[in-house]
Amino acid sequence: MGINEIEVEAASVSIYELILKAEKLISKKFLDQLIDEKRQILQGTLILINGRNIVHLDKINSIVQDGDEICIFPPGGGG
Amino acid sequence: MTRKIFQRNIQFWGEEKQQILADSTILIAGVGGLGCTVAEILTRSGIGKLILIDNDEIEISNLNRQILYDQSDIGKPKVEIAELKLQAINLELEIEILNHDVSELKNLHLPYFDGIADCLDNFEARFELEKLLPPEHFLVHGGVQNDFGQITTIKPGKTQTLKEIFPGLHIPVPVSIVPQTVLAIGSLMVQEIINNLFGKPKLLNKMLILELADFSMFKVELKK
């Protein structure tokens, strides 16, 4: 995405809503690179909330609190 | 002769740490891009023994990043050529080769090892590999793609498993990859393997993410 770190003001919003806020903040759309039209996380995408994969939480509807650290990156699969 | 090979290492980290490496065994799962890099650097670092696992043969398309192989090796088993090349660097290095797929390992009696270097090329195989990790042992995971990659240390009961960090992840193979990414991530993996052998891992419950395009490197916290 070419963005290393941004701070987004939000509390008790879903990760989905947080990403929409982040898109506005950086004037760049990237949600469609992370989820499909059914809001399923695309293969090859890793989203962590405080070091925990959102697959173990409520997926794209996982709630983010003030101070949470979100990490989004495509893990390298090759060796 | 062997002492002279490692003279500059000893000058940096001292006799005691060089001896720790000489007494250590690392199992390298996958002798492709990362596996070749990790094996060669560990050999030049003075590791005592390597166990190499891979059942592939060398293909022409491997030569962009698999640094132990050349054109004359095409069609030959990777583990056999890797053994020859590594032995030529250090005659005293002990090497054991297992020409097997990772899925077959659970049926074999594995020799002793201190830690595993996960140099595999798909997550399904990595999830099988980590099941082989005995308590108190470590696995250093590396993954590469395009111009980015990641590294973390896995320890049973002390960190999340790879399957917890990357649940259900399936990345179609073969992935696109350039040599500088493989050598950079492979080098960083060796640093963390040595950190583990010296008893001071730096990527326990942390993941290092490297992006070569803009030289950015992050450490992300992973929750146990």
Side-chain angles (χ1 to χ4, degrees):
Chain A
M1 294 187 297
I3 300 286
N4 289 340
E5 203 171 344
I6 55 167
E7 210 163 290
V8 184
E9 276 190 36
S12 296
V13 297
S14 69
I15 185 86
Y16 178 84
E17 291 166 308
L18 185 85
I19 292 170
L20 291 178
K21 276 175 177 271
E23 284 186 332
K24 275 189 188 167
L25 202 67
I26 62 170
S27 304
K28 190 175 177 180
K29 292 206 172 293
F30 60 90
L31 186 63
D32 60 349
Q33 294 173 40
L34 309 176
I35 58 169
D36 63 18
E37 62 279 1
K38 291 178 182 169
R39 292 196 185 186
Q40 298 296 308
I41 301 162
L42 293 174
Q43 279 293 341
T45 299
L46 197 72
I47 305 176
L48 307 175
I49 301 178
N50 296 327
R52 174 89 46 199
N53 194 313
I54 63 168
V55 169
H56 301 302
L57 305 170
D58 200 8
K59 301 187 172 69
I60 201 69
N61 299 314
S62 303
I63 300 298
V64 177
Q65 302 294 349
D66 189 25
D68 281 353
E69 194 175 287
I70 318 301
C71 180
I72 302 172
F73 72 100
Chain B
M1 177 72 92
T2 304
R3 275 194 58 79
K4 280 192 176 170
I5 299 177
F6 306 121
Q7 200 173 350
R8 301 295 184 95
N9 303 353
I10 296 167
Q11 201 175 328
F12 172 56
W13 54 43
E15 295 273 4
E16 196 180 325
K17 286 182 173 169
Q18 192 64 47
Q19 192 57 48
I20 292 174
L21 291 181
D23 294 338
S24 299
T25 300
I26 296 296
L27 182 152
I28 299 181
V31 194
L34 288 177
C36 282
T37 306
V38 168
E40 177 162 345
I41 300 176
L42 280 175
T43 299
R44 294 183 192 277
S45 298
I47 198 81
K49 181 177 174 182
L50 291 176
I51 303 165
L52 307 176
I53 298 176
D54 203 308
N55 69 340
D56 279 349
E57 289 171 354
I58 298 157
E59 296 175 26
I60 188 84
S61 62
N62 299 153
L63 301 189
N64 78 322
R65 67 199 183 283
Q66 303 190 13
I67 58 171
L68 291 174
Y69 315 132
D70 59 49
Q71 300 252 356
S72 66
D73 301 322
I74 305 299
K76 296 175 185 167
K78 286 185 178 178
V79 285
E80 288 180 19
I81 300 303
E83 181 184 29
L84 284 175
K85 303 283 175 79
L86 297 167
Q87 201 73 81
I89 297 168
N90 178 10
L91 298 175
E92 291 182 17
L93 170 67
E94 199 179 331
I95 308 173
E96 193 159 343
I97 59 172
L98 296 171
N99 198 338
H100 288 282
D101 185 80
V102 167
S103 62
E104 298 164 3
L105 297 182
K106 57 181 180 288
N107 303 320
L108 299 176
H109 176 70
L110 285 177
Y112 175 82
F113 55 85
D114 295 287
I116 296 177
D118 162 20
C119 302
L120 295 169
D121 64 0
N122 68 88
F123 281 96
E124 290 83 354
R126 289 179 168 108
F127 300 155
E128 288 300 312
L129 177 69
E130 68 178 343
K131 291 179 188 168
L132 304 172
L133 194 60
E136 303 303 320
H137 286 52
F138 66 86
L139 176 150
V140 172
H141 156 77
V144 284
Q145 202 161 328
N146 300 337
D147 59 358
F148 56 83
Q150 74 283 336
I151 304 166
T152 188
T153 286
I154 302 293
K155 273 194 169 184
K158 291 187 177 162
T159 66
Q160 294 185 58
T161 62
L162 289 173
K163 200 170 184 176
E164 286 171 322
I165 301 168
F166 305 106
L169 199 62
H170 174 76
I171 296 173
V173 289
V175 301
S176 45
I177 182 69
V178 289
Q180 61 271 36
T181 312
V182 174
L183 271 78
I185 292 289
S187 300
L188 295 169
M189 283 179 75
V190 172
Q191 181 61 46
E192 181 62 356
I193 290 166
I194 291 175
N195 289 341
N196 271 286
L197 292 173
F198 292 169
K200 292 183 177 172
K202 303 292 184 216
L203 297 175
L204 207 58
N205 291 313
K206 289 184 179 66
M207 184 172 289
L208 182 73
I209 301 167
L210 173 72
E211 183 163 0
L212 285 181
D214 60 1
F215 301 107
S216 58
M217 204 188 282
F218 298 95
K219 264 195 262 181
V220 176
E221 295 287 333
L222 295 172
K223 203 171 208 170
K224 166 64 192 103

